[in-house]
Amino acid sequence: MRSDSVKTGISQAPHRSLFNALGFTKEELRKPFIGIVSSYNEIVPGHMNLDKIVDAVKLGVAMAGGAPVVFPAIAVCDGIAMGHEGMKYSLVTRDLIADSTEAMAMAHQFDALVMVPNCDKNVPGLLMAAARLNIPTIFVSGGPMLAGRVNGNKTSLSSMFEAVGAYSAGKMTEEEIEEYENKVCASCGSCSGMYTANSMNCLTEAIGMGLKGNGTIPAVYSERIRLAKHAGMKIMELLEKNICPRDIMTEKAFMNALTVDMALGCSTNTMLHLPAIAHEVGIELDLNLVNEVSARTPNLCHLAPAGPTYMEDLNEAGGIYAVMNELNKKGLLYTDLPTATGKTVAENIKNCRNLNPDVIRPIDNPYSETGGLAILKGNLAPEGGVVKRSAVAPEMLKHTGPARVFDCEEDAVTAILGGKIVDGDVVVIRYEGPKGGPGMREMLNPTSTIMGMGLGSTVALITDGRFSGASRGACIGHVSPEAAVGGNIALIEEGDVIEIDIDAHSVNIKVSDEELKKRRANWKPRPPKITSGYLARYTAMVSSGSRGAILEVPNADK
């Protein structure tokens, strides 16, 4: 066992004295050490129940003959961080989580790990750590929030943000706003739509690193506690069989994840996280694959914000395995792959029926014949931009309009709330990319304000930043190269005509190459917005959004 290096032999007597200080018995020291990475804290609603999940995992590990040892991982609530400088600190935590988990696992020589994440960045951060460490690992998340209820209708956090826009447009009263804020977030858990946290927890299940139900069983269901106990027991089987993350997270497994992503209509943020996780196992997940996978993958689900169904509905309809079983009817998945269940994909999804065709469309009656995400390219985004196609109004799949240019999110929101954005406009928010932000802030405030003010079917938004999974509409993010490194988005001028064709995967500025060249000659890089602390280091090391905003050593040999 790896842990023998810290607990077995005369040379390890000093180590054992420290374990004695922790209250370990000789019997425990003879067992495998199973690290349980707990993302519990008291500031993230999706994490306030993780202490219960961790306790259940510990019991499962102990029942199966292991010695469970808990250590922490940080997490940011994107909703609370939204719309102010705190959002600069969201995406960047993904790498802090991966790095700190790697450090803890290596320093203390755990034999295996159980990851207990839930929200946006600590799911991919812990998957990145698992890929690096490559010791037996299983995931069990905290589960999704129940949908809220307002006026008898299910609702969620995205409705809350859109309500602010509706209030600004005179369509809602303060009393109605208060009713929404008291009811939309009905329980603990990751926010109830197919936002980034739930997208990544579902894809963890699809890629094979979690048990059935990991992505969909609501946080408040006792079934979630039972799932955690089973994950604790299952890690001992994975350890015995030496099934490691890189055995599971293969190139074919990532293709399965992309396919399920397209069927579910996941958050655009998956196009940052899947490439970053793949990078950790030495796989280059080219964004060009997205359109190829989308072209052959029907979109089967319209969960919020794309439609009126929520994670609890997907769970009742059969969950991720039911979606995968639908996809497998047309041979769209690799099914002979190993998973953390100890079985193959085929064995996992066999007999997993679609119990509600209104929530999971049958494969022969999809919402669309193509997937939920699309990568757009053109002279505005030579390396690509991403849009959640399934959440775009049909009339906005093609759009041409004048650019309304803003160099930060706050200025754009002020203009939108001030009634300065009108039908037909294309809002451009730049210098918000990985380097320029820094930290690639989410743009839920401007997107939801546009929707709440009734402009969602007439106004598009383009940014080198990114969007919350709760965003909907013609919102194109991750535009690369970003403005801070001289991407063409930096050269757009007020009033330039922008042409978007999502079906054709194109986004262009209707300006000649000669004019762009002239503008580039006059463009000057801007000094970094932040010059000290973690964000300064992040700015120096982060890559393009088109590559997953991974961190690289500056000036290192490629």
Side-chain angles (χ1 to χ4, degrees):
M1 291 187 292
R2 282 165 51 91
S3 59
D4 285 345
S5 59
V6 295
K7 64 186 185 183
T8 302
I10 293 298
S11 298
Q12 279 64 46
H15 305 69
R16 289 194 295 275
S17 70
L18 293 168
F19 285 118
N20 288 337
L22 288 165
F24 277 77
T25 65
K26 288 183 178 180
E27 290 79 5
E28 287 174 294
L29 291 178
R30 286 195 287 267
K31 297 178 179 181
F33 273 12
I34 310 300
I36 303 173
V37 187
S38 171
S39 301
Y40 168 78
N41 64 44
E42 295 182 343
I43 192 63
V44 182
H47 291 217
M48 62 180 287
N49 65 319
L50 294 191
D51 55 341
K52 309 296 188 300
I53 303 297
V54 167
D55 285 346
V57 172
K58 288 174 66 177
L59 185 57
V61 169
M63 286 192 295
V69 185
V70 180
F71 64 89
I74 64 168
V76 163
C77 175
D78 277 23
I80 294 173
M82 194 71 66
H84 55 86
E85 66 177 354
M87 182 46 71
K88 297 178 187 290
Y89 286 88
S90 171
L91 177 61
V92 305
T93 63
R94 184 185 71 181
D95 296 276
L96 286 175
I97 291 161
D99 292 348
S100 59
T101 302
E102 175 193 0
M104 287 292 288
M106 292 300 294
H108 301 102
Q109 293 291 289
F110 290 105
D111 297 300
L113 297 171
V114 182
M115 306 293 199
V116 187
N118 211 28
C119 288
D120 292 25
K121 308 310 169 306
N122 73 328
V123 180
L126 291 177
L127 282 165
M128 290 164 67
R132 282 184 205 171
L133 292 161
N134 201 36
I135 60 175
T137 302
I138 195 168
F139 279 66
V140 55
S141 75
M145 185 183 290
L146 294 176
R149 301 291 197 283
V150 178
N151 298 324
N153 298 315
K154 288 184 178 181
T155 188
S156 61
L157 182 65
S158 54
S159 301
M160 184 72 254
F161 276 90
E162 290 179 17
V164 175
Y167 173 79
S168 300
K171 298 178 180 181
M172 289 185 72
T173 65
E174 280 193 49
E175 289 75 18
E176 289 173 317
I177 288 284
E178 185 174 3
E179 182 179 15
Y180 265 75
E181 68 181 76
N182 286 331
K183 293 181 177 179
V184 296
C185 295
S187 72
C188 63
S190 48
C191 294
S192 55
M194 188 54 77
Y195 308 152
T196 305
N198 291 328
S199 294
M200 291 307 303
N201 282 322
C202 288
L203 295 186
T204 298
E205 196 174 332
I207 208 170
M209 290 295 293
L211 301 180
K212 179 184 179 183
N214 177 73
T216 60
I217 298 170
V220 296
Y221 284 13
S222 298
E223 186 181 359
R224 175 66 57 178
I225 299 296
R226 297 198 298 272
L227 179 75
K229 291 177 183 176
H230 283 132
M233 290 185 275
K234 183 62 68 173
I235 192 61
M236 299 306 295
E237 178 186 332
L238 297 177
L239 176 61
E240 181 182 358
K241 295 179 178 178
N242 194 32
I243 298 174
C244 296
R246 293 190 188 185
D247 300 321
I248 296 169
M249 291 195 285
T250 61
E251 188 169 355
K252 288 180 178 179
F254 280 101
M255 294 302 291
N256 279 354
L258 279 176
T259 300
V260 174
D261 192 329
M262 296 304 152
L264 291 173
C266 289
S267 164
T268 53
N269 283 314
T270 62
M271 295 301 101
L272 287 174
H273 301 320
L274 287 177
I277 299 161
H279 176 75
E280 296 291 347
V281 297
I283 296 170
E284 192 70 24
L285 202 61
D286 190 334
L287 285 185
N288 290 322
L289 287 172
V290 173
N291 290 338
E292 293 178 23
V293 173
S294 179
R296 61 177 179 261
T297 307
N299 178 226
L300 304 181
C301 300
H302 267 193
L303 289 100
T309 53
Y310 294 83
M311 295 304 297
E312 63 201 65
D313 302 313
L314 179 59
N315 186 64
E316 295 302 317
I320 301 309
Y321 281 7
V323 174
M324 294 175 75
N325 204 26
E326 286 290 342
L327 293 169
N328 197 44
K329 290 176 182 177
K330 287 196 173 180
L332 295 174
L333 297 175
Y334 296 99
T335 60
D336 59 343
L337 309 180
T339 71
T341 67
K343 300 177 181 178
T344 65
V345 172
E347 292 171 317
N348 287 341
I349 66 176
K350 184 180 180 181
N351 300 323
C352 290
R353 295 185 298 117
N354 180 357
L355 303 177
N356 189 339
D358 292 329
V359 176
I360 304 171
R361 287 279 188 93
I363 194 74
D364 56 1
N365 182 34
Y367 283 101
S368 66
E369 293 294 339
T370 56
L373 298 181
I375 302 298
L376 311 186
K377 290 192 175 183
N379 68 353
L380 196 156
E383 294 178 4
V386 62
V387 63
K388 188 170 185 174
R389 186 189 186 285
S390 59
V392 178
E395 59 268 32
M396 289 299 290
L397 293 173
K398 285 188 178 182
H399 180 76
T400 300
R404 304 299 308 281
V405 183
F406 304 93
D407 288 350
C408 68
E409 176 189 1
E410 289 82 358
D411 290 350
V413 172
T414 298
I416 297 165
L417 290 174
K420 296 180 180 179
I421 302 302
V422 299
D423 291 348
D425 284 348
V426 179
V427 177
V428 177
I429 306 177
R430 61 192 181 188
Y431 294 100
E432 290 284 9
K435 288 183 179 292
M440 207 176 185
R441 288 195 290 178
E442 284 186 348
M443 302 290 167
L444 181 56
N445 270 4
T447 61
S448 57
T449 304
I450 286 170
M451 297 301 296
M453 295 183 74
L455 297 170
S457 61
T458 59
V459 171
L461 193 152
I462 294 174
T463 181
D464 53 6
R466 61 193 179 92
F467 298 115
S468 165
S471 292
R472 62 189 177 107
C475 306
I476 302 164
H478 309 189
V479 167
S480 301
E482 63 175 291
V485 299
N488 285 351
I489 191 172
L491 309 180
I492 300 174
E493 295 181 357
E494 186 81 6
D496 282 348
V497 174
I498 293 178
E499 186 176 73
I500 301 165
D501 190 336
I502 293 174
D503 287 334
H505 304 125
S506 68
V507 57
N508 288 286
I509 323 162
K510 301 301 285 183
V511 172
S512 69
D513 291 344
E514 291 76 13
E515 175 62 20
L516 288 176
K517 185 176 180 181
K518 187 187 301 182
R519 293 181 187 181
R520 181 170 300 285
N522 295 322
W523 178 82
K524 293 181 180 178
R526 300 186 177 192
K529 293 177 184 176
I530 295 177
T531 57
S532 63
Y534 177 54
L535 287 182
R537 297 195 300 275
Y538 184 88
T539 300
M541 298 175 70
V542 70
S543 71
S544 168
S546 64
R547 299 185 57 224
I550 59 173
L551 297 189
E552 299 178 306
V553 178
N555 303 317
D557 292 337
K558 300 295 184 184

